[in-house]
Every structure is written in C-alpha cells, then in structure tokens.
Amino acid sequence: IANRVKQQAKDSATFKSGTVAVGRALHRLQIQVGRLADGKGSLAHITPLNEAAAVNLGAEFCSELVIYVIAGTTVVAETMRASSDKRKKEAAENAAEMERRAKIDATEKQLREDLNELGKRITSLSDQVWYLQKQQSVVEEKHRNSNRSWSEWITGN
C-alpha cells in the first residue's frame, strides 16, 4: 500500500505539487535540525531542493505516513477491541456473581422458613407431650384412687 501511495505521489499531477512542497519543507527542516544538533545557528535561507529530489522526498514521506497511520489505527482498534472484550468479560462475571448471590439469598430464605416451621413443630410436640403427661398423671391418680380400700376412702389416706 505504501509503495502504491509513493508511486501515485510521484506520477500524479494532482499530488505532485503537494509532494514537492512537502519534500522541500522536509529538506529545510532536516537542514535546520541538523545544524541545531551540531550546535550551529539556523540559516536564514536554505537553497530549495530541485523538483525531482523534492518529489522523491515528499513521496517517501507520504508512504511512511501511510504506514504509520495504518499501524496507529491498528493499535487503536486493537486497544478498543481488547477494552470491549474486557468490559464484556467483567459484565459476564458481574452477572454470574449476582446470580450466585441471588441463589444464596434464596437458599438462606428457605432455610429460615424451614427453621421457623421446625420451631413450630417442636412447640406443638412439646404441647402434646405436656398434655399427654397431664393425661397420664390423671389416669394414674384415678388408678391409685380405684385401688384404695373403703376405709382409706373414708379416712382420706
């Protein structure tokens, strides 16, 4: 793709003027930065590149720009995809956690209801045992009274 862009920039009359301007601007920038890096002052006037060299430099810049734009776009797209996948995974984990908590809450509620029901049964059974014990003591008392002699009845012993 970059080579096709480079070739189009060299061959197309539409792109040629822009490519020449970019190539000459890059040439001026390279000269000034190089001088500043060497500790020299900047130049007031730099001889412009001839058209063929400017077209080559501008076309090379365009092809590299395409490569970097594609690479940058790929990195951004991959980052966005990874972020989206992470959000989806977190949402699924949160949903699973909420479902797990709902099941625990339902189980706890059922256990409380069962415990209350068992408490009621125990109370009922305790009442029944008390009633049976009372009945038994009445029967035992009647039995003891029926086994007494006439004299015990009269004397009250």
Side-chain angles (χ1 to χ4, degrees):
I1 294 175
N3 286 335
R4 291 184 97 182
V5 169
K6 183 177 180 180
Q7 195 59 44
Q8 278 290 330
K10 286 182 182 180
D11 295 342
S12 171
T14 307
F15 288 126
K16 197 172 231 176
S17 63
T19 306
V20 169
V22 169
R24 287 182 176 160
L26 283 173
H27 173 68
R28 282 191 304 275
L29 184 63
Q30 285 175 341
I31 297 293
Q32 293 291 16
V33 170
R35 287 184 58 81
L36 291 173
D38 291 339
K40 301 176 183 174
S42 61
L43 296 174
H45 177 69
I46 298 171
T47 306
L49 279 178
N50 64 36
E51 189 172 317
V55 166
N56 282 336
L57 188 57
E60 187 67 32
F61 175 78
C62 287
S63 69
E64 288 180 14
L65 181 64
V66 166
I67 290 170
Y68 287 115
V69 166
I70 290 172
T73 302
T74 302
V75 168
V76 168
E78 184 61 25
T79 301
M80 289 173 63
R81 185 196 61 76
S83 178
S84 174
D85 288 350
K86 183 179 177 183
R87 279 192 304 274
K88 287 177 185 175
K89 181 180 176 185
E90 287 173 352
E93 288 173 352
N94 287 341
E97 178 65 16
M98 295 300 285
E99 184 178 337
R100 185 185 70 80
R101 287 182 182 184
K103 285 181 181 178
I104 288 172
D105 289 345
T107 302
E108 285 179 354
K109 182 180 178 185
Q110 184 63 47
L111 289 173
R112 274 190 233 103
E113 290 172 0
D114 292 348
L115 186 60
N116 283 338
E117 183 62 31
L118 288 173
K120 289 176 185 177
R121 285 183 182 177
I122 289 172
T123 302
S124 174
L125 289 173
S126 293
D127 291 347
Q128 289 175 8
V129 166
W130 178 82
Y131 179 75
L132 289 173
Q133 287 173 342
K134 186 176 179 183
Q135 290 282 335
Q136 184 178 4
S137 66
V138 167
V139 168
E140 287 174 354
E141 182 66 30
K142 283 183 181 180
H143 181 67
R144 270 193 305 255
N145 288 339
S146 68
N147 289 336
R148 285 205 251 172
S149 67
W150 281 103
S151 65
E152 288 176 340
W153 273 98
I154 296 174
T155 59
N157 290 338

